[in-house]
Amino acid sequence: MRGRRTKTPAVALTDLGPLAQLKAGRLGRRIPQLIAGLVLYGFSLALMVRGALGLAPWDVLHYGLTLHLPITIGQAIIAMSFVVLLLWIPLREKPGVGTVANAIVVGLAADATLAVLGPVDGLIVRIALLVAGVVLNGFATALYIGSQLGRGPRDGLMTGLSRVTGRSLRLVRTALEVAVVIAGMLLGGVAGAGTILYALAIGPLAQAMLPWVIVDLDPPAAL
């Protein structure tokens, strides 16, 4: 008889408070993974900006703000991150190390990339930048979520509203993204094919890649 193969149990995401996140161990793996994910996230957003075929929903708003304020898109990302964090207070969401890092690092990485990567010509090149940006953003999302060091500001707003209203995460996310796209377009932000591609692809991409990079925590902290 052939021996049965035993499946390795899937590593699960845990919902820990800020201190428990730090006490959960494996920080030598988790913190570098968090930072790598956030830097890659900012880099991927910059690729979409240079692709100029439509930005991610929140970045339509961020770009719109740059048209009316003397700030870069990275600075708009940082500023809006802290505005969103204020909305966590009535929702009783708890920020973690990753939450604060997300609010700062993504914007800095986006601006640094845009400083090096100038505008590009040619539709084929722009499509390539858009597709690369969306795919890399999915991987970046999986990296920072998989580090289990706290949700990003916008993710926490989504989960908090879902919990308070009793609505599904999908419905809340869709409503939020439609709202920010409309607000961004009213400010002059750029929406297009890339916006639709991002909205349709980012969830499945991140979900498919998350099992590759999710970090298993020390058992005592996961209880």
Side-chain angles (χ1 to χ4, degrees):
M1 294 179 63
R2 295 181 180 179
R4 295 182 179 179
R5 293 182 179 179
T6 57
K7 294 183 178 179
T8 303
V11 179
L13 287 172
T14 57
D15 189 11
L16 303 176
L19 291 178
Q21 291 168 9
L22 294 175
K23 293 179 180 179
R26 304 196 67 185
L27 293 180
R29 156 77 186 276
R30 293 164 62 211
I31 290 179
Q33 177 173 316
L34 168 69
I35 299 302
L38 297 179
V39 170
L40 183 60
Y41 198 102
F43 174 77
S44 66
L45 294 183
L47 293 184
M48 292 186 66
V49 171
R50 291 302 186 222
L53 291 169
L55 300 173
W58 279 94
D59 291 319
V60 176
L61 175 59
H62 299 146
Y63 182 78
L65 290 172
T66 68
L67 301 177
H68 300 272
L69 299 172
I71 57 176
T72 65
I73 191 168
Q75 290 167 346
I77 291 171
I78 294 170
M80 279 304 302
S81 294
F82 284 100
V83 170
V84 170
L85 282 176
L86 292 177
L87 299 177
W88 281 35
I89 297 173
L91 297 174
R92 297 183 179 179
E93 288 288 301
K94 296 179 180 180
V97 174
T99 308
V100 178
N102 186 301
I104 299 172
V105 175
V106 171
L108 294 178
D111 273 353
T113 303
L114 291 171
V116 175
L117 179 64
V120 298
D121 295 319
L123 182 60
I124 299 300
V125 176
R126 291 165 58 203
I127 291 174
L129 287 177
L130 168 63
V131 173
V134 172
V135 173
L136 289 175
N137 193 272
F139 184 51
T141 300
L143 279 173
Y144 86 73
I145 291 176
S147 71
Q148 307 217 53
L149 282 166
R151 304 180 184 92
R154 295 154 189 79
D155 297 326
L157 178 62
M158 175 185 66
T159 57
L161 285 173
S162 175
R163 175 173 45 79
V164 169
T165 63
R167 304 295 184 180
S168 69
L169 285 173
R170 180 180 299 179
L171 177 61
V172 171
R173 175 172 180 166
T174 300
L176 280 173
E177 293 188 345
V178 168
V180 297
V181 166
I182 292 173
M185 291 179 69
L186 291 174
L187 293 172
V190 181
T195 309
I196 297 172
L197 175 62
Y198 184 94
L200 293 176
I202 195 63
L205 283 171
Q207 183 174 349
M209 296 175 179
L210 185 58
W212 306 346
V213 294
I214 186 171
V215 182
D216 195 10
L217 304 182
D218 289 342
L223 292 176

